[in-house]
Amino acid sequence: MSLDIARLVAFSGISATELQISVASSNISNADTAGYTRKSANQVTNVTGGVGTGVSITGISSNVDKLLLKSLIGANSELGAADTTNSYLTQLQQLFGSASTSGTSTTGTSLANSLASLESALSSLASSPGSVSLQSAAVSALDDFASQLRSTSSGVQTLRGNADKDIASSVKSVNDDLQQIADLNVEIRKMAAAGQSTADLEDQRNTALQDLSSYMNVSYYTASNGDLQVYTSSGRALVDSSAHTISYTASANVSSSTSYASGGFSGIMVDGVDVTSQITSGKIGSLITLRDDTLPATQAQLDQLASQLKSALNEVTNGASAVPPPTSLTGTTSVSGTTALSASGTVRIAVADQSGNLVSYQDLDLSSYATVGDLVTALNGISGVSAAIDSSGHLSISATSSSNGIAINDMTSSVGGSGFSDYFGMNDLVTGTSAADFAVNSSILSGASGLPTGTLDGSSTLTAGSQVLTSGSATVINALYTKLTGSTSFASAGGLSATTGSFANYAASIVANVASKASQASSAYTAKSTAQSTYANSLSSQSGVNIDEETARVSSLQNKYAAASQLISVVNSMFSSLLSAVQSN
């Protein structure tokens, strides 16, 4: 080997070793940097004329296992969904309160416990149905349940609204990631064209891809020009030659009637195409499922409870009357004067004084009236009675004297499959169309009307001045108690199968169903977190920085550098000796 070649080999070794030391040092300093992968300088042997002339560095690269990365991307999506579901279902479970049992008594704040309190209040009232204080306690217990039911329903809709807002904020994060990937694609192409290392930029791009996958499930591949191209699960481009950002506008107001299917929630759009159905995992996928399926299912269960309880309680109280009778009764069913009246049987309308003594009455044959307007005319024909359809479209029956009141006995009446009073809602104990507005009748709650505990005398004929209303009987209260504790049929709702049982049992089933979903979500989160950690650790082990290895590598490279330096010193010394020998000749 000539001295020139020896010196060339030594200089190339020093140059290569300096770069390798720099790369190893960078690995050590970035060991804790998120997304950073171990870099290595690619060294090759230079050969000239069949003779080795040193080494050179062809580039700096990182070795990332593509299959491991793809597995981690999928695990990120599943963990993002599981984490979000777990968080929301934990909040949902908290809405339903808690229950605890000690001996034979059950306490707590759940809907089932509130119904148990109502049962207890009615049981106490049954022993003394005329007690004003016990009546007030029963109304208060029912109002407490109604308030809790409305609050729970409102909380469910609040969670749906929060999920919708979280979709909008998550879409913004997705767009940031998409734009970053597109921008990095451009930078990587430029660096590659200039012959510079793109390894660090690829790390940043992979980090953005991992973050993106936590929000939504995506597919991707690296094109021949080095670009990372990203698509939805059905192939809609998110990043190709540029970023295709997502657009979404959260709904201003969310109620139980708001749904994606009906257009209450907008679609998640890419280039004018709705891709909502293509997002099935990640945080956004979970939020869509929570907003459109999981939470509405719970609302449906609450609505079933409210609907059945309203029907059961009102069926009893519409066959009863407050004592003393209220001056005016106003129904809850919406009607008009032209509403057809398909009815049969007889209903008794009576005017009684504050002691429950008869002032006047009349039995009406409902088959005689074709419309509600005809019925109103007949009601106005009863002595001491004034009837009308109010501005809200509800039938109103009043006593013409403020010292008297109105009482109704459905007798044999049948209107739309219900008794007269029940059909029009003249003595409804509770009002509302769903759990969202389930409430105690405002006139009863305010005290303007008493709790219906009496029954209008149903004898074939009544005598003016005789007592036709009494409050001392427990018949109505026992009927209410039986409705609460007896067997009621509940339709399938929100994943709960059709069942038969007491209202407290059904409420407990709702609470248990929510608790079960929350428990499953927690278990799923733990499992997905473990799986994601396993893939992340595997990828880190394969492509991450091992400080001990890099430190040892730096030490070894320093030795190589010293050896190359020594070789240059020896070659220089040999050149000097050769030059001196030539000069002496």
Side-chain angles (χ1 to χ4, degrees):
M1 178 186 294
S2 70
L3 292 179
D4 280 336
I5 292 178
R7 185 167 59 177
L8 181 62
V9 169
F11 274 119
S12 69
I14 285 179
S15 178
T17 303
E18 282 181 339
L19 185 54
Q20 288 174 326
I21 290 174
S22 175
V23 170
S25 298
S26 178
N27 285 338
I28 293 172
S29 63
N30 285 285
D32 294 326
T33 301
Y36 183 86
T37 59
R38 180 174 59 83
K39 306 300 186 297
S40 60
N42 304 319
Q43 179 177 296
V44 296
T45 301
N46 297 328
V47 178
T48 304
V51 178
T53 55
V55 296
S56 61
I57 302 298
T58 59
I60 299 172
S61 63
S62 60
N63 181 28
V64 177
D65 189 305
K66 293 181 180 180
L67 289 178
L68 269 179
L69 178 61
K70 187 172 288 291
S71 295
L72 179 59
I73 294 298
N76 281 345
S77 292
E78 292 180 359
L79 178 58
D83 185 22
T84 302
T85 300
N86 182 47
S87 175
Y88 268 80
L89 289 185
T90 297
Q91 296 176 65
L92 179 64
Q93 185 177 22
Q94 291 170 349
L95 285 178
F96 282 82
S98 61
S100 59
T101 302
S102 177
T104 58
S105 62
T106 301
T107 59
T109 57
S110 73
L111 289 169
N113 291 123
S114 295
L115 282 171
S117 296
L118 175 59
E119 291 173 6
S120 178
L122 289 175
S123 179
S124 298
L125 178 59
S127 63
S128 183
S131 170
V132 174
S133 61
L134 291 178
Q135 287 186 23
S136 177
V139 171
S140 179
L142 178 57
D143 184 49
D144 287 344
F145 169 77
S147 177
Q148 185 178 10
L149 185 59
R150 292 194 304 273
S151 176
T152 304
S153 174
S154 176
V156 170
Q157 297 312 312
T158 295
L159 286 176
R160 293 185 72 214
N162 290 345
D164 192 49
K165 291 183 179 67
D166 280 351
I167 291 174
S169 62
S170 296
V171 163
K172 182 180 183 302
S173 296
V174 165
N175 286 336
D176 290 342
D177 286 333
L178 294 177
Q179 191 60 57
Q180 184 179 11
I181 291 172
D183 291 343
L184 286 168
N185 280 342
V186 173
E187 291 300 314
I188 288 171
R189 287 200 305 271
K190 289 180 179 179
M191 297 285 281
Q196 296 177 303
S197 172
T198 63
D200 285 338
L201 294 178
E202 290 174 18
D203 282 349
Q204 295 176 36
R205 191 171 64 179
N206 285 340
T207 298
L209 178 62
Q210 290 181 50
D211 187 65
L212 170 64
S213 68
S214 70
Y215 287 101
M216 61 182 289
N217 51 306
V218 294
S219 61
Y220 67 94
Y221 76 95
T222 303
S224 58
N225 65 351
D227 280 0
L228 180 66
Q229 303 200 348
V230 186
Y231 300 87
T232 66
S233 61
S234 296
R236 174 63 54 179
L238 297 174
V239 178
D240 44 24
S241 59
S242 62
H244 298 260
T245 53
I246 297 174
S247 63
Y248 182 74
T249 302
S251 179
N253 298 292
V254 177
S255 67
S256 58
S257 62
T258 310
S259 70
Y260 169 71
S262 66
F265 293 116
S266 65
I268 300 174
M269 312 298 289
V270 176
D271 297 332
V273 176
D274 189 343
V275 297
T276 304
S277 62
Q278 299 179 37
I279 305 176
T280 57
S281 189
K283 181 176 182 178
I284 296 177
S286 171
L287 291 169
I288 293 171
T289 299
L290 286 162
R291 184 196 67 183
D292 297 343
D293 298 316
T294 309
L295 294 172
T298 300
Q299 182 66 55
Q301 295 167 9
L302 293 174
D303 288 344
Q304 175 69 191
L305 174 63
S307 174
Q308 292 296 84
L309 185 57
K310 173 190 172 183
S311 296
L313 296 181
N314 288 347
E315 182 182 354
V316 174
T317 57
N318 274 295
S321 173
V323 182
T327 302
S328 179
L329 291 174
T330 300
T332 56
T333 301
S334 296
V335 294
S336 68
T338 59
T339 300
L341 188 66
S342 178
S344 61
T346 301
V347 63
R348 175 168 291 175
I349 309 296
V351 179
D353 62 21
Q354 297 302 295
S355 298
N357 297 322
L358 182 66
V359 175
S360 63
Y361 84 100
Q362 186 171 333
D363 293 341
L364 301 179
D365 180 1
L366 296 179
S367 63
S368 303
Y369 315 115
T371 65
V372 174
D374 295 337
L375 174 63
V376 169
T377 299
L379 289 169
N380 281 318
I382 302 173
S383 176
V385 173
S386 174
I389 298 173
D390 67 15
S391 59
S392 298
H394 299 144
L395 176 63
S396 176
I397 306 174
S398 305
T400 55
S401 172
S402 60
S403 60
N404 296 328
I406 297 294
I408 301 174
N409 188 320
D410 279 345
M411 304 293 278
T412 62
S413 63
S414 176
V415 186
S418 302
F420 173 90
S421 183
D422 195 22
Y423 175 80
F424 286 103
M426 305 307 296
N427 277 292
D428 280 354
L429 175 57
V430 293
T431 60
T433 58
S434 66
D437 58 358
F438 184 93
V440 179
N441 191 309
S442 58
S443 63
I444 296 175
L445 191 59
S446 66
S449 298
L451 182 67
T453 59
T455 304
L456 175 63
D457 192 333
S459 301
S460 58
T461 58
L462 301 179
T463 303
S466 63
Q467 189 169 39
V468 293
L469 281 173
T470 57
S471 61
S473 171
T475 302
V476 174
I477 304 305
N478 285 332
L480 287 172
Y481 183 82
T482 299
K483 283 291 185 182
L484 276 180
T485 60
S487 184
T488 298
S489 295
F490 298 92
S492 59
L496 281 181
S497 301
T499 186
T500 301
S502 70
F503 283 97
N505 286 342
Y506 187 74
S509 296
I510 296 176
V511 176
N513 182 255
V514 170
S516 175
K517 288 179 180 178
S519 177
Q520 291 172 13
S522 178
S523 297
Y525 169 70
T526 300
K528 298 302 182 184
S529 180
T530 300
Q532 192 272 350
S533 294
T534 299
Y535 285 120
N537 291 336
S538 296
L539 187 63
S540 176
S541 177
Q542 181 268 324
S543 61
V545 176
N546 184 308
I547 294 180
D548 291 339
E549 289 182 0
E550 295 302 309
T551 301
R553 182 174 289 108
V554 169
S555 178
S556 175
L557 289 169
Q558 287 173 338
N559 291 335
K560 290 181 180 179
Y561 186 92
S565 298
Q566 184 64 34
L567 177 59
I568 290 176
S569 177
V570 170
V571 169
N572 285 340
S573 177
M574 293 176 70
F575 263 115
S576 296
S577 297
L578 179 61
L579 182 60
S580 297
V582 170
Q583 289 175 343
S584 64
N585 291 329

